[in-house]
PDB file of all heavy atoms in Angstrom:
ATOM      1  N   PRO A  98      15.687 -40.032  -3.664  1.00 98.00           N
ATOM      2  CA  PRO A  98      14.476 -39.759  -3.021  1.00 98.00           C
ATOM      3  C   PRO A  98      14.375 -40.572  -1.714  1.00 98.00           C
ATOM      4  O   PRO A  98      14.694 -41.742  -1.752  1.00 98.00           O
ATOM      5  CB  PRO A  98      13.444 -40.099  -4.062  1.00 98.00           C
ATOM      6  CG  PRO A  98      14.126 -40.210  -5.360  1.00 98.00           C
ATOM      7  CD  PRO A  98      15.497 -40.724  -5.035  1.00 98.00           C
ATOM      8  N   THR A  99      14.033 -39.819  -0.688  1.00 98.00           N
ATOM      9  CA  THR A  99      13.754 -40.603   0.523  1.00 98.00           C
ATOM     10  C   THR A  99      12.956 -39.612   1.447  1.00 98.00           C
ATOM     11  O   THR A  99      13.157 -38.404   1.554  1.00 98.00           O
ATOM     12  CB  THR A  99      15.100 -40.873   1.321  1.00 98.00           C
ATOM     13  OG1 THR A  99      14.890 -41.228   2.649  1.00 98.00           O
ATOM     14  CG2 THR A  99      16.062 -39.756   1.250  1.00 98.00           C
ATOM     15  N   PRO A 100      12.026 -40.265   2.153  1.00 98.00           N
ATOM     16  CA  PRO A 100      11.141 -39.501   3.182  1.00 98.00           C
ATOM     17  C   PRO A 100      12.061 -38.901   4.238  1.00 98.00           C
ATOM     18  O   PRO A 100      11.586 -38.005   4.925  1.00 98.00           O
ATOM     19  CB  PRO A 100      10.206 -40.409   3.724  1.00 98.00           C
ATOM     20  CG  PRO A 100      10.669 -41.785   3.471  1.00 98.00           C
ATOM     21  CD  PRO A 100      11.481 -41.652   2.390  1.00 98.00           C
ATOM     22  N   ALA A 101      13.215 -39.347   4.408  1.00 97.00           N
ATOM     23  CA  ALA A 101      14.110 -38.962   5.421  1.00 97.00           C
ATOM     24  C   ALA A 101      14.925 -37.756   4.958  1.00 97.00           C
ATOM     25  O   ALA A 101      15.896 -37.394   5.580  1.00 97.00           O
ATOM     26  CB  ALA A 101      14.959 -40.024   5.963  1.00 97.00           C
ATOM     27  N   GLY A 124      14.535 -45.705  -4.538  1.00 98.00           N
ATOM     28  CA  GLY A 124      14.434 -46.872  -3.650  1.00 98.00           C
ATOM     29  C   GLY A 124      13.109 -47.590  -3.639  1.00 98.00           C
ATOM     30  O   GLY A 124      12.168 -47.044  -4.148  1.00 98.00           O
ATOM     31  N   ARG A 125      12.956 -48.719  -3.101  1.00 97.00           N
ATOM     32  CA  ARG A 125      11.869 -49.467  -2.760  1.00 97.00           C
ATOM     33  C   ARG A 125      12.011 -50.185  -1.539  1.00 97.00           C
ATOM     34  O   ARG A 125      13.067 -50.030  -0.899  1.00 97.00           O
ATOM     35  CB  ARG A 125      11.556 -50.542  -3.968  1.00 97.00           C
ATOM     36  CG  ARG A 125      10.861 -50.050  -5.114  1.00 97.00           C
ATOM     37  CD  ARG A 125       9.507 -50.073  -5.072  1.00 97.00           C
ATOM     38  NE  ARG A 125       8.843 -49.134  -5.850  1.00 97.00           N
ATOM     39  CZ  ARG A 125       7.576 -48.804  -6.033  1.00 97.00           C
ATOM     40  NH1 ARG A 125       6.701 -49.591  -5.350  1.00 97.00           N
ATOM     41  NH2 ARG A 125       7.061 -47.863  -6.819  1.00 97.00           N
ATOM     42  N   TYR A 126      10.883 -50.842  -1.041  1.00 97.00           N
ATOM     43  CA  TYR A 126      11.093 -51.610   0.338  1.00 97.00           C
ATOM     44  C   TYR A 126      11.329 -50.653   1.435  1.00 97.00           C
ATOM     45  O   TYR A 126      10.732 -49.588   1.473  1.00 97.00           O
ATOM     46  CB  TYR A 126      11.969 -52.741   0.225  1.00 97.00           C
ATOM     47  CG  TYR A 126      11.984 -53.499  -1.035  1.00 97.00           C
ATOM     48  CD1 TYR A 126      13.058 -53.681  -1.890  1.00 97.00           C
ATOM     49  CD2 TYR A 126      10.838 -54.203  -1.577  1.00 97.00           C
ATOM     50  CE1 TYR A 126      13.066 -54.253  -3.109  1.00 97.00           C
ATOM     51  CE2 TYR A 126      10.681 -54.866  -2.737  1.00 97.00           C
ATOM     52  CZ  TYR A 126      11.932 -54.961  -3.594  1.00 97.00           C
ATOM     53  OH  TYR A 126      11.872 -55.561  -4.685  1.00 97.00           O
ATOM     54  N   GLU A 127      12.374 -50.969   2.210  1.00 97.00           N
ATOM     55  CA  GLU A 127      12.673 -50.076   3.320  1.00 97.00           C
ATOM     56  C   GLU A 127      13.732 -49.044   2.904  1.00 97.00           C
ATOM     57  O   GLU A 127      14.231 -48.206   3.807  1.00 97.00           O
ATOM     58  CB  GLU A 127      13.126 -50.861   4.597  1.00 97.00           C
ATOM     59  CG  GLU A 127      12.133 -51.628   5.303  1.00 97.00           C
ATOM     60  CD  GLU A 127      10.878 -50.857   5.704  1.00 97.00           C
ATOM     61  OE1 GLU A 127      10.984 -49.787   6.077  1.00 97.00           O
ATOM     62  OE2 GLU A 127       9.779 -51.293   5.342  1.00 97.00           O
ATOM     63  N   GLY A 128      14.033 -49.061   1.617  1.00 97.00           N
ATOM     64  CA  GLY A 128      15.019 -48.071   1.084  1.00 97.00           C
ATOM     65  C   GLY A 128      16.341 -48.622   0.734  1.00 97.00           C
ATOM     66  O   GLY A 128      16.431 -49.870   0.780  1.00 97.00           O
ATOM     67  N   LEU A 147      16.592 -36.276  -0.922  1.00 98.00           N
ATOM     68  CA  LEU A 147      15.424 -35.276  -1.033  1.00 98.00           C
ATOM     69  C   LEU A 147      14.090 -35.950  -0.743  1.00 98.00           C
ATOM     70  O   LEU A 147      13.800 -37.074  -1.374  1.00 98.00           O
ATOM     71  CB  LEU A 147      15.262 -34.574  -2.372  1.00 98.00           C
ATOM     72  CG  LEU A 147      16.582 -33.806  -2.742  1.00 98.00           C
ATOM     73  CD1 LEU A 147      16.501 -33.288  -4.072  1.00 98.00           C
ATOM     74  CD2 LEU A 147      16.742 -32.581  -1.656  1.00 98.00           C
ATOM     75  N   SER A 148      13.207 -35.238   0.011  1.00 98.00           N
ATOM     76  CA  SER A 148      11.899 -35.775   0.327  1.00 98.00           C
ATOM     77  C   SER A 148      10.867 -34.991  -0.461  1.00 98.00           C
ATOM     78  O   SER A 148      11.116 -33.723  -0.465  1.00 98.00           O
ATOM     79  CB  SER A 148      11.656 -35.754   1.837  1.00 98.00           C
ATOM     80  OG  SER A 148      10.237 -35.830   2.038  1.00 98.00           O
ATOM     81  N   ILE A 149       9.711 -35.498  -0.983  1.00 98.00           N
ATOM     82  CA  ILE A 149       8.842 -34.607  -1.658  1.00 98.00           C
ATOM     83  C   ILE A 149       7.729 -34.099  -0.625  1.00 98.00           C
ATOM     84  O   ILE A 149       6.843 -33.487  -1.145  1.00 98.00           O
ATOM     85  CB  ILE A 149       8.240 -35.153  -3.047  1.00 98.00           C
ATOM     86  CG1 ILE A 149       7.535 -36.413  -2.758  1.00 98.00           C
ATOM     87  CG2 ILE A 149       9.268 -35.317  -4.123  1.00 98.00           C
ATOM     88  CD1 ILE A 149       6.639 -36.878  -3.887  1.00 98.00           C
ATOM     89  N   GLY A 150       7.852 -34.505   0.657  1.00 98.00           N
ATOM     90  CA  GLY A 150       6.821 -34.075   1.628  1.00 98.00           C
ATOM     91  C   GLY A 150       6.812 -35.105   2.716  1.00 98.00           C
ATOM     92  O   GLY A 150       7.368 -36.121   2.611  1.00 98.00           O
ATOM     93  N   TYR A 152       5.283 -37.490   4.057  1.00 98.00           N
ATOM     94  CA  TYR A 152       4.436 -38.645   4.011  1.00 98.00           C
ATOM     95  C   TYR A 152       5.278 -39.748   3.398  1.00 98.00           C
ATOM     96  O   TYR A 152       6.317 -39.497   2.864  1.00 98.00           O
ATOM     97  CB  TYR A 152       3.125 -38.515   3.069  1.00 98.00           C
ATOM     98  CG  TYR A 152       3.492 -37.572   1.926  1.00 98.00           C
ATOM     99  CD1 TYR A 152       4.062 -38.324   0.828  1.00 98.00           C
ATOM    100  CD2 TYR A 152       3.289 -36.172   1.865  1.00 98.00           C
ATOM    101  CE1 TYR A 152       4.375 -37.448  -0.222  1.00 98.00           C
ATOM    102  CE2 TYR A 152       3.541 -35.454   0.801  1.00 98.00           C
ATOM    103  CZ  TYR A 152       4.144 -36.083  -0.334  1.00 98.00           C
ATOM    104  OH  TYR A 152       4.439 -35.358  -1.222  1.00 98.00           O
ATOM    105  N   VAL A 153       4.846 -41.011   3.370  1.00 98.00           N
ATOM    106  CA  VAL A 153       5.734 -42.075   2.800  1.00 98.00           C
ATOM    107  C   VAL A 153       5.077 -42.771   1.722  1.00 98.00           C
ATOM    108  O   VAL A 153       3.944 -43.265   1.655  1.00 98.00           O
ATOM    109  CB  VAL A 153       6.042 -43.144   4.084  1.00 98.00           C
ATOM    110  CG1 VAL A 153       6.727 -44.346   3.566  1.00 98.00           C
ATOM    111  CG2 VAL A 153       6.653 -42.420   5.223  1.00 98.00           C
ATOM    112  N   LEU A 154       5.799 -42.916   0.571  1.00 98.00           N
ATOM    113  CA  LEU A 154       5.441 -43.528  -0.644  1.00 98.00           C
ATOM    114  C   LEU A 154       5.959 -44.979  -0.595  1.00 98.00           C
ATOM    115  O   LEU A 154       6.806 -45.257   0.215  1.00 98.00           O
ATOM    116  CB  LEU A 154       5.908 -42.873  -1.865  1.00 98.00           C
ATOM    117  CG  LEU A 154       5.684 -41.286  -1.918  1.00 98.00           C
ATOM    118  CD1 LEU A 154       6.454 -40.723  -2.972  1.00 98.00           C
ATOM    119  CD2 LEU A 154       4.112 -41.209  -2.292  1.00 98.00           C
ATOM    120  N   SER A 155       5.555 -45.793  -1.469  1.00 98.00           N
ATOM    121  CA  SER A 155       6.186 -47.157  -1.467  1.00 98.00           C
ATOM    122  C   SER A 155       7.421 -47.251  -2.334  1.00 98.00           C
ATOM    123  O   SER A 155       8.173 -48.199  -2.157  1.00 98.00           O
ATOM    124  CB  SER A 155       5.032 -48.111  -2.188  1.00 98.00           C
ATOM    125  OG  SER A 155       3.980 -48.190  -1.432  1.00 98.00           O
ATOM    126  N   GLY A 156       7.672 -46.296  -3.136  1.00 98.00           N
ATOM    127  CA  GLY A 156       8.900 -46.247  -3.956  1.00 98.00           C
ATOM    128  C   GLY A 156       9.239 -44.804  -4.257  1.00 98.00           C
ATOM    129  O   GLY A 156       8.447 -43.979  -4.389  1.00 98.00           O
ATOM    130  N   GLY A 157      10.529 -44.741  -4.770  1.00 98.00           N
ATOM    131  CA  GLY A 157      10.925 -43.478  -5.194  1.00 98.00           C
ATOM    132  C   GLY A 157      10.616 -42.950  -6.628  1.00 98.00           C
ATOM    133  O   GLY A 157      10.896 -41.797  -6.941  1.00 98.00           O
ATOM    134  N   ALA A 160       8.194 -40.016  -6.587  1.00 98.00           N
ATOM    135  CA  ALA A 160       9.024 -38.762  -6.223  1.00 98.00           C
ATOM    136  C   ALA A 160       9.889 -38.322  -7.253  1.00 98.00           C
ATOM    137  O   ALA A 160       9.963 -37.173  -7.453  1.00 98.00           O
ATOM    138  CB  ALA A 160       9.803 -39.137  -4.827  1.00 98.00           C
TER     139      ALA A 160
HETATM  140  N1  SAM B 501      11.864 -46.911   5.621  1.00 88.44           N
HETATM  141  C1  SAM B 501      11.870 -45.586   5.036  1.00 88.44           C
HETATM  142  C2  SAM B 501      11.711 -44.452   6.043  1.00 88.44           C
HETATM  143  O1  SAM B 501      10.826 -44.638   6.873  1.00 88.44           O
HETATM  144  O2  SAM B 501      12.304 -43.493   5.826  1.00 88.44           O
HETATM  145  C3  SAM B 501      10.741 -45.573   3.968  1.00 88.44           C
HETATM  146  C4  SAM B 501      11.049 -46.281   2.677  1.00 88.44           C
HETATM  147  S1  SAM B 501       9.686 -46.007   1.588  1.00 88.44           S
HETATM  148  C5  SAM B 501       8.537 -47.225   2.004  1.00 88.44           C
HETATM  149  C6  SAM B 501      10.509 -46.706   0.041  1.00 88.44           C
HETATM  150  C7  SAM B 501      11.091 -45.570  -0.844  1.00 88.44           C
HETATM  151  O3  SAM B 501      10.133 -44.784  -1.199  1.00 88.44           O
HETATM  152  C8  SAM B 501      12.223 -44.892  -0.360  1.00 88.44           C
HETATM  153  O4  SAM B 501      13.337 -45.363  -0.480  1.00 88.44           O
HETATM  154  C9  SAM B 501      12.031 -43.615  -1.324  1.00 88.44           C
HETATM  155  O5  SAM B 501      12.751 -43.911  -2.483  1.00 88.44           O
HETATM  156  C10 SAM B 501      10.667 -43.584  -1.538  1.00 88.44           C
HETATM  157  N2  SAM B 501       9.892 -42.522  -0.805  1.00 88.44           N
HETATM  158  C11 SAM B 501       8.908 -42.735   0.114  1.00 88.44           C
HETATM  159  N3  SAM B 501       8.411 -41.627   0.626  1.00 88.44           N
HETATM  160  C12 SAM B 501       9.159 -40.579  -0.028  1.00 88.44           C
HETATM  161  C13 SAM B 501       9.072 -39.210   0.054  1.00 88.44           C
HETATM  162  N4  SAM B 501       8.285 -38.607   0.984  1.00 88.44           N
HETATM  163  N5  SAM B 501       9.915 -38.480  -0.684  1.00 88.44           N
HETATM  164  C14 SAM B 501      10.764 -39.049  -1.521  1.00 88.44           C
HETATM  165  N6  SAM B 501      10.776 -40.445  -1.645  1.00 88.44           N
HETATM  166  C15 SAM B 501      10.053 -41.143  -0.903  1.00 88.44           C
END
Side-chain angles (χ1 to χ4, degrees):
T99 161
R125 280 270 153 183
Y126 320 118
E127 291 309 313
L147 296 172
S148 163
I149 61 160
Y152 40 79
V153 178
L154 306 165
S155 298

